[in-house]
Amino acid sequence: MTIRDLRKDKANSADYDVCVVGSGPAGLAITKVLSDNNFHVCLLESGGLKFEQPVQSLNHGTQQGFRDDLGTARPRQFGGASSVWRGHCATMDPDDFLPERWSGSIGWPLDYSDLAGYYRRAADFLDFDYRLLESNSYQNNDFLAFDGDRVQTKLFIQRPTRLGQELKDWIKQVDSVDLWVHASLSSVKSKGNKIEYVTARDLADKELKVKARIFVVAAGGLENPRLLLSFANGNLIPIDQNARKAIGRYFSLHPHFFYGALLLTGQAAEKPLYLPQS
């Protein structure tokens, strides 16, 4: 991978097979797969290789509801949210994809089975054993006999992989990807139903025009809809009314845990699954 800084690079245009916007977990995962399949990829990152407050200020905005701080929860730097996440990993449940009465939503545009085949690949990317998330990897007597309708045993793995650090060696070795830092997606040029090119800018408004056959927006759960709504409202991208109404409707809030303590005694206290882990 060639690391190119828009602030210093003399180029003002570039041409690729695929342009991926965002170098967080999603953007890096898809870039890795594309690179392994010999695609020439442009990876646009709004920030630099490390945290920089001037770029981070682009996150500021107003919000309602649960108070995750917009300015700090989504780092604009190589590695994205993986730079600060605690790495709680778990599979979704089938009912997570069902419509909620209070939301007026028809539910997610995908279901549990659509994701099931990708969990193992995600675990490999984050470098942990996927079997640790599968209840059938444990003996039945490992689990306490809770009333399944009231209390369920959910398996989580805490694997706070810092992708910006973990992929340093890969960055130095691969030739099919250009990482552009200090390159914030700012505009889109479309013709009919096809995006011809996008423009990225640094904080001093230096521009880079990127042409590609395919464009992937992987800027995160908040930035994706913000970009798409901005471009759609400005008629910069071809999105029909039904699709436009769906943008941002399926946002899933970062999991927050509200919990109590369960004091185990007797034989229950000896079950390995519930023993403190080092």
Side-chain angles (χ1 to χ4, degrees), residues 103-253:
S103 70
S105 170
I106 61 173
W108 285 76
L110 69 169
D111 60 28
Y112 177 80
S113 62
D114 292 323
L115 293 184
Y118 293 95
Y119 285 123
R120 189 179 300 276
R121 292 173 65 179
D124 290 342
F125 181 67
L126 295 175
D127 194 26
F128 71 86
D129 188 347
Y130 170 70
R131 292 173 297 179
L132 296 174
L133 296 176
E134 296 181 306
S135 59
N136 59 13
S137 296
Y138 298 86
Q139 301 296 322
N140 288 335
N141 59 9
D142 285 340
F143 295 89
L144 291 176
F146 293 121
D147 180 347
D149 292 332
R150 301 180 62 188
V151 180
Q152 298 180 7
T153 298
K154 182 74 176 180
L155 300 176
F156 283 76
I157 296 297
Q158 187 168 352
R159 182 71 171 91
T161 307
R162 307 301 183 208
L163 294 172
Q165 300 174 16
E166 295 281 339
L167 295 178
K168 280 184 178 179
D169 290 340
W170 178 68
I171 292 172
K172 297 175 182 178
Q173 295 171 5
V174 67
D175 296 323
S176 58
V177 180
D178 283 347
L179 167 64
W180 285 88
V181 295
H182 301 108
S184 299
L185 181 63
S186 61
S187 65
V188 175
K189 174 62 175 177
S190 299
K191 185 176 182 179
N193 291 324
K194 180 178 176 59
I195 295 176
E196 292 189 313
Y197 64 84
V198 301
T199 301
R201 294 180 180 176
D202 68 1
L203 293 182
D205 282 339
K206 185 176 184 297
E207 291 187 352
L208 173 71
K209 181 190 295 184
V210 179
K211 295 182 179 180
R213 293 189 291 114
I214 299 171
F215 294 88
V216 179
V217 182
L222 289 177
E223 203 63 21
N224 273 5
R226 186 160 77 166
L227 287 169
L228 292 175
L229 286 172
S230 175
F231 296 150
N233 291 337
N235 295 316
L236 297 178
I237 52 177
I239 298 182
D240 63 38
Q241 289 299 319
N242 289 332
R244 189 174 303 195
K245 292 178 181 178
I247 296 175
R249 290 287 300 274
Y250 301 101
F251 175 70
S252 179
L253 184 67

Side-chain angles (χ1 to χ4, degrees), residues 256-261:
H256 289 80
F257 301 98
F258 302 91
Y259 53 87

Side-chain angles (χ1 to χ4, degrees), residues 33-48:
V33 172
L34 290 169
S35 174
D36 291 345
N37 287 276
N38 299 316
F39 285 88
H40 188 204
V41 183
C42 167
L43 181 59
L44 295 179
E45 170 52 49
S46 179

